[in-house]
């Protein structure tokens, strides 16, 4: 059954956080919190929402992104986690399963550590456990290593949505087989006025700060060392540019799963880092996993 969609603005330290809410037709069987990736927004989630009939989905734009782009103050995983708790408080939500995609997975892990009473289970989608990062790498090199052309996109200016779509997104290798109206809406939402042109909502500096924090800071490693929430990690074989291997090459994945044996691993094939959430076929494979976690959370 279809969901109804609305947004609310939630006061947090430094401004107001934009939050997307998808309400299902009655009855509501469950509520989940969905946290997007590093240069993304809440509009990454419509395919997953459609695959979860009866489930209310709460999805914030993290500070520095989308409709939350003007929130002042430092970012980082702890700040994002505290912002998300402010969202739950504002909406009167006590304890939920949390879905985190990409950087959202890292935020989810830190959320579960800083606010354990608010998280019933974690579903980490191609993120949340340490990436394969060389020691001693400089911040800008780190961003380029992980994000590649995505980092360049953040530094460019565009004449409008059409140029943004045709100049970057239309030929994006991740979406060759998965172009959609939902993707076009996501792209249009990402573009904001900047002088006589437009820019992506996420600033390059915000991306650098968050990338450094989740890869080189102690916040994530400390949170993982104390991880107690039941957790599954979903990985896909291809990365941001549809390249293989993806963010978790097999040998590295085996090592991190050995380091964190409490994390259950699920591999989904034939998808990349984007299409695992931003396509109908990706959402169709995620939905049974999410529904199982919802059922376990309510048991």
């Amino acid at each position: 059954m279809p969901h109804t969609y609305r947004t609310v603005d939630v006061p947090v330290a430094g401004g107001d956080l934009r939050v997307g809410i998808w309400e299902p037709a009655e009855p509501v069987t469950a509520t989940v919190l969905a946290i997007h990736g590093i240069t993304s927004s809440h509009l990454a989630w419509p395919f997953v929402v459609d695959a979860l009939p009866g489930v209310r989905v709460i999805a914030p734009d993290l500070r520095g992104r989308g409709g939350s782009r003007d929130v002042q103050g430092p970012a980082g995983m702890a700040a994002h986690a505290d912002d998300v708790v402010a969202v739950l408080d504002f909406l009167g939500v006590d304890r939920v399963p949390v879905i985190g995609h990409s950087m959202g997975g890292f935020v989810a892990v830190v959320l579960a550590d800083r606010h354990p009473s608010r998280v019933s289970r974690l579903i980490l989608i191609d993120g949340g456990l340490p990436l394969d990062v060389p020691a001693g790498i400089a911040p800008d090199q780190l961003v380029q290593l992980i994000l590649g052309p995505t980092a360049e996109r953040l530094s460019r200016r565009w004449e409008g949505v059409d140029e943004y779509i045709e100049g970057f997104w239309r030929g994006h290798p991740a979406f060759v087989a998965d172009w959609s109206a939902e993707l076009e809406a996501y792209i249009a939402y990402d573009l904001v006025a900047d002088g006589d042109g437009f820019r992506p909502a996420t600033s390059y500096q915000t991306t650098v700060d968050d990338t450094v924090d989740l890869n080189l800071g102690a916040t994530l490693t400390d949170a993982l060392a104390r991880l107690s929430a039941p957790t599954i990690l979903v990985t896909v074989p291809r990365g941001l540019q549809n390249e293989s291997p993806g963010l978790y090459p097999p040998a590295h994945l085996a090592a991190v799963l050995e380091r964190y044996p409490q994390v259950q691993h699920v591999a989904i094939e034939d998808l990349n880092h984007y299409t695992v959430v931003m396509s109908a076929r990706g959402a169709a494979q995620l939905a049974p996993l999410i529904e199982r976690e919802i059922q376990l959370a309510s048991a």
Side-chain angles (χ1 to χ4, degrees):
M1 302 179 77
H3 292 69
T4 58
Y5 163 74
R6 63 188 173 97
T7 63
V8 297
D9 290 334
V10 176
V12 298
D16 288 339
L17 213 67
R18 181 68 46 82
V19 181
I21 303 171
W22 285 268
E23 298 276 2
E26 296 293 341
V28 177
T29 59
T31 296
V32 299
L33 174 69
I35 308 175
H36 65 70
I38 192 164
T39 67
S40 190
S41 73
H42 76 275
L43 287 187
W45 296 107
F47 285 110
V48 173
V49 171
D50 287 347
L52 297 172
V55 178
R56 177 170 65 156
V57 180
I58 299 169
D61 286 345
L62 297 177
R63 61 172 55 217
R65 283 89 175 165
S68 307
R69 60 188 174 275
D70 294 327
V71 176
Q72 301 298 306
M77 301 306 103
H80 293 312
D82 292 349
D83 287 346
V84 168
V85 167
V87 171
L88 297 179
D89 289 344
F90 183 87
L91 296 174
V93 176
D94 181 28
R95 184 175 173 87
V96 289
V98 179
I99 308 165
H101 173 233
S102 192
M103 187 189 81
F106 297 92
V107 175
V109 169
V110 175
L111 169 65
D113 182 56
R114 291 175 68 83
H115 306 278
S117 67
R118 312 306 292 272
V119 177
S120 59
R121 304 184 79 84
L122 291 176
I123 303 105
L124 310 177
I125 304 171
D126 222 31
L129 293 191
L131 302 177
D132 190 10
V133 173
I137 190 169
D140 281 340
Q141 291 177 310
L142 178 65
V143 173
Q144 289 293 331
L145 173 68
I146 296 173
L147 297 181
T150 296
E152 178 190 356
R153 168 176 65 85
L154 300 179
S155 301
R156 293 184 61 181
R157 296 298 177 266
W158 309 86
E159 293 181 0
V161 173
D162 289 345
E163 187 197 22
Y164 192 37
I165 289 175
E166 298 302 327
F168 183 84
W169 289 102
R170 182 71 71 176
H172 198 295
F175 295 106
V176 169
D178 292 281
W179 195 264
S180 65
E182 290 86 352
L183 176 60
E184 292 196 9
Y186 168 89
I187 294 167
Y189 181 72
D190 182 52
L191 207 61
V192 298
D194 183 38
D196 58 358
F198 296 85
R199 66 170 178 85
T202 307
S203 75
Y204 179 77
Q205 190 57 51
T206 297
T207 303
V208 171
D209 293 346
D210 277 339
T211 301
V212 169
D213 184 48
L214 71 88
N215 285 283
L216 304 180
T219 304
L220 176 71
T221 53
D222 290 348
L224 284 169
R226 296 185 289 259
L227 183 63
S228 60
T231 303
I232 64 170
L233 170 69
V234 178
T235 61
V236 291
R238 298 193 296 277
L240 280 74
Q241 297 294 310
N242 205 38
E243 79 282 9
S244 182
L247 291 188
Y248 291 94
H252 175 72
L253 177 62
V256 294
L257 290 173
E258 183 177 3
R259 194 182 317 162
Y260 304 106
Q262 71 272 44
V263 176
Q264 178 189 354
H265 174 235
V266 178
I268 296 180
E269 299 303 321
D270 196 33
L271 292 164
N272 61 54
H273 182 74
Y274 284 110
T275 56
V276 65
V277 296
M278 295 177 65
S279 72
R281 61 195 182 95
Q285 295 190 67
L286 284 176
L289 300 175
I290 297 170
E291 289 170 341
R292 184 192 68 182
E293 295 304 303
I294 290 172
Q295 291 170 358
L296 290 171
S298 62

